[in-house]
Short mmCIF file of all heavy atoms in Angstrom, two decimals:
data_model
loop_
_atom_site.label_atom_id
_atom_site.label_comp_id
_atom_site.label_asym_id
_atom_site.label_seq_id
_atom_site.Cartn_x
_atom_site.Cartn_y
_atom_site.Cartn_z
N ALA D 189 -10.73 -7.38 12.11
CA ALA D 189 -11.64 -6.54 11.34
C ALA D 189 -10.82 -5.92 10.22
O ALA D 189 -9.66 -5.57 10.42
CB ALA D 189 -12.23 -5.45 12.23
N GLN D 251 -12.73 2.18 14.56
CA GLN D 251 -12.42 1.82 15.94
C GLN D 251 -13.53 2.23 16.91
O GLN D 251 -13.53 1.77 18.06
CB GLN D 251 -11.08 2.44 16.36
CG GLN D 251 -9.90 1.77 15.69
CD GLN D 251 -8.58 2.12 16.33
OE1 GLN D 251 -8.35 3.26 16.73
NE2 GLN D 251 -7.70 1.13 16.43
N THR D 304 9.19 3.05 12.09
CA THR D 304 10.02 2.24 12.97
C THR D 304 9.35 0.93 13.38
O THR D 304 9.94 0.14 14.10
CB THR D 304 10.39 3.03 14.24
OG1 THR D 304 9.19 3.44 14.91
CG2 THR D 304 11.22 4.27 13.90
N ALA D 333 13.61 -1.46 13.03
CA ALA D 333 14.61 -2.40 13.51
C ALA D 333 14.30 -3.80 13.02
O ALA D 333 15.20 -4.62 12.81
CB ALA D 333 14.67 -2.37 15.03
#
Side-chain angles (χ1 to χ4, degrees):
Q251 289 194 321
T304 58

